[in-house]
Amino acid sequence: MIKGYFLIGFFTFISCNSSPDIDEKFSADFSRDFGMYTVFINEFESTTFQLNKLIEQELNLKLDDSFDKIHKYDSLTKEYIGTLKNLELELIKNSQIENFNNIKESQKAFSSIKEVNDYFFIGDSLTNNGNIYLEKRRTYINKLLELTENPDFTQRIVNNLSVNDAIDRNNNNVKYLNYHYKNTPLIAFVAHNKLVIKKILHLEYDFINE
């Protein structure tokens, strides 16, 4: 939990202190993109914090016949979000940032594609970690689907969390991990990971209040 709060503070700090002349390797465009990612990250974290509070409040009020299903859903979700957060921290640790207060060092590390590529890909194929990531998502989705009989909510789960192929701008099918994470900077992975967590919690809140 302390690490989580530290990272929120770090991304707030770095978004307020980004500079287009951080390093000759970084263009002004990249610096603006970096700042954009940090804004998104802080926005997602803020929404996630509020959703967690609302979910806990609702859970304390649910004592009807839906109690077991709701708490099962919550347990599955907490476990899966824990997996996503641990992965995020692992990749940040792999970046070997020695001093988070050093903006130049931090921007270099978070702009690197190495940590994300090494974790998910080996050449054009997925690593074992990449396959495990997909399997864990599919397992989580399937367990959620077992808990709902609402076809509309079932479709929402699939639409928001599916790891099926994506369609790129040229209308080509692209594998989920390749589309989101191939040659992706660490900062972009962190932002997308937090977006996924936000979507998961939105779904849980709506499930509780069906």
Side-chain angles (χ1 to χ4, degrees), residues 129-141:
N129 285 329
N131 285 312
I132 290 173
Y133 179 93
L134 294 176
E135 183 58 32
K136 285 185 176 180
R137 176 75 68 82
R138 293 187 181 111
T139 298
Y140 174 65
I141 291 171

Side-chain angles (χ1 to χ4, degrees), residues 63-197:
L63 298 173
D64 55 19
D65 293 340
S66 64
F67 178 89
D68 288 342
K69 278 189 177 182
I70 287 173
H71 280 263
K72 177 65 173 177
Y73 193 114
D74 182 64
S75 177
L76 290 169
T77 296
K78 281 185 168 63
E79 180 180 358
Y80 185 64
I81 287 178
T83 298
L84 294 179
K85 287 183 175 181
N86 286 339
L87 171 57
E88 185 179 308
L89 290 173
E90 179 181 347
L91 294 186
I92 291 173
K93 181 180 179 181
N94 290 346
S95 70
Q96 298 181 333
I97 300 173
E98 295 182 0
N99 181 8
F100 280 92
N101 292 321
N102 185 319
I103 301 300
K104 181 186 293 187
E105 179 185 345
S106 298
Q107 280 206 354
K108 282 184 177 180
F110 277 97
S111 69
S112 171
I113 65 174
K114 183 179 186 306
E115 287 71 32
V116 179
N117 275 349
D118 286 354
Y119 188 87
F120 289 108
F121 306 103
I122 180 165
D124 294 327
S125 302
L126 294 181
T127 61
N128 187 50
N129 285 329
N131 285 312
I132 290 173
Y133 179 93
L134 294 176
E135 183 58 32
K136 285 185 176 180
R137 176 75 68 82
R138 293 187 181 111
T139 298
Y140 174 65
I141 291 171
N142 289 335
K143 288 182 177 179
L144 295 187
L145 295 178
E146 293 174 0
L147 297 174
T148 181
E149 299 175 358
N150 183 329
D152 291 334
F153 191 75
T154 294
Q155 193 59 51
R156 283 187 61 203
I157 291 174
V158 173
N159 289 345
N160 280 277
L161 302 181
S162 171
V163 288
N164 292 336
D165 293 357
I167 306 294
D168 68 11
R169 67 184 65 184
N170 297 316
N171 210 35
N172 297 315
N173 281 2
V174 183
K175 296 295 183 184
Y176 178 89
L177 289 180
N178 292 65
Y179 183 82
H180 289 287
Y181 297 146
K182 185 73 169 178
N183 297 326
T184 294
L186 179 57
I187 186 74
F189 168 81
V190 171
H192 185 261
N193 194 56
K194 293 185 184 302
L195 173 61
V196 171
I197 291 172

